[in-house]
Amino acid sequence: MTPSDGYLLDNRQREAGERFDAFATLFDPTTFRHIEALGIEPGWRCWEVGAGGTSVVSWLAGKVGPAGRVVATDIDTSRLAPAGRPPVEIRVHDVGAQEPPGEGFDLVHARLVLVHVPGRDRALRSMIEALRPGGWLLIEDADPALQPLTCPDESGPEQRLANRLRQGFRGLLAERGADLGYGRRLPRLLREAGLHEVEADGFFPMTSPACTALEAATVRQIRDRLIDAGLATAEEIEQHLANVEAGDMDLTTAPMISAWGRKA
């Protein structure tokens, strides 16, 4: 994420909270499983990059305990305030443009962040620089180009409309510098950056209440942008939201690729 006005999904919009809740429901189990497997324990020092909401930050704080440290950064920390007590430290920070907020971290984690960062190469170097020798980097990012549809089973006009709106959304993201194929490159990028023990997997949720909530909140959040760009009419958006609310479509998100590696 960058502090420019071009960022499509403003954390201060009402729908942002709904999106963060949906992300937590969909992706927290995968994130927590990976971090547990990396061996997190009391006393660890962690940097949560582009934290957005509080779910991962609060979980990390519980794992590292009072002897540990969790630095939670974002360009907009307005939704992080409830987690702002020891061992959590909250900082306004642009990972694509600023130096790391410390060094010697046992874990650096970013979820659904770098795909949106124009300076993502610098951001990746910064996160690796902040690790201690032997520390772990876990990057989890979407790959919308890998599976670009809202409704993979395009069985009728409702699904076709949903997929057309998703195509418009992807176009708006790309115009603002998002790399829609970033997730699939993560394993190679971590190896090329010198990390060891690199592994990766993917998670592709389908047909859940959280997928439905995420779709509705996202479309409401970008409604005016879609209309202004001529990608949809107000009537089409209202029809799509009604279709989503009816609950008869199998809605998906973009696959999330998780990749992790260890600093030598």
Side-chain angles (χ1 to χ4, degrees):
M1 287 178 245
T2 77
S4 79
D5 293 336
Y7 183 52
L8 191 62
L9 300 164
D10 188 345
N11 285 2
R12 294 182 180 272
Q13 290 179 270
R14 177 176 57 84
E15 293 85 0
E18 299 170 19
R19 296 181 74 252
F20 287 144
D21 289 344
F23 283 142
T25 300
L26 289 168
F27 298 125
D28 278 2
T30 297
T31 295
F32 298 163
R33 172 172 59 86
H34 287 312
I35 296 176
E36 290 273 19
L38 298 180
I40 190 170
E41 60 185 26
W44 268 32
R45 296 156 295 175
C46 305
W47 175 18
E48 180 65 16
V49 181
T54 62
S55 66
V56 176
V57 173
S58 296
W59 183 87
L60 287 172
K63 288 294 181 179
V64 306
R69 182 187 183 208
V70 178
V71 179
T73 64
D74 206 318
I75 59 168
D76 181 351
T77 60
S78 58
R79 296 187 180 274
L80 284 171
R85 55 185 178 276
V88 175
E89 177 185 349
I90 297 171
R91 294 193 190 183
V92 175
H93 180 263
D94 180 355
V95 69
Q98 294 177 287
E99 296 299 311
E103 58 185 14
F105 289 103
D106 300 283
L107 170 71
V108 177
H109 172 246
R111 186 175 76 189
L112 305 177
V113 174
L114 294 191
V115 67
H116 298 291
V117 176
R120 61 185 64 86
D121 292 341
R122 175 176 175 173
L124 184 60
R125 291 194 300 270
S126 176
M127 288 187 280
I128 294 172
E129 178 186 334
L131 287 168
R132 67 165 175 83
W136 288 98
L137 176 66
L138 171 62
I139 305 292
E140 301 181 295
D141 235 319
D143 195 316
L146 192 63
Q147 195 300 106
L149 303 176
T150 300
C151 298
D153 180 20
E154 194 176 76
S155 57
E158 296 87 356
Q159 290 78 14
R160 286 192 289 274
L161 174 59
N163 288 339
R164 183 159 62 82
L165 293 181
R166 176 64 62 86
Q167 182 179 9
F169 176 39
R170 291 176 62 233
L172 291 175
L173 287 172
E175 287 176 2
R176 286 159 177 78
D179 183 345
L180 302 182
Y182 190 67
R184 75 191 73 178
R185 292 194 286 276
L186 284 171
R188 173 174 57 83
L189 293 174
L190 296 194
R191 286 194 303 272
E192 290 177 350
L195 295 186
H196 299 271
E197 302 177 48
V198 173
E199 297 184 52
D201 65 16
F203 178 60
F204 178 32
M206 296 180 64
T207 316
S208 75
C211 286
T212 300
L214 180 60
E215 175 68 12
T218 301
V219 171
R220 289 198 306 271
Q221 190 167 9
I222 64 170
R223 179 184 185 277
D224 292 343
R225 301 289 185 98
L226 289 170
I227 294 171
D228 291 345
L231 297 169
T233 66
E235 292 75 18
E236 287 173 329
I237 292 173
E238 292 308 313
Q239 182 61 61
H240 174 61
L241 291 172
N243 294 341
V244 170
E245 186 176 355
D248 297 327
M249 294 191 295
D250 294 317
L251 299 165
T252 73
T253 73
M256 184 178 75
I257 309 300
S258 302
W260 57 95
R262 194 167 199 165
K263 187 175 182 178

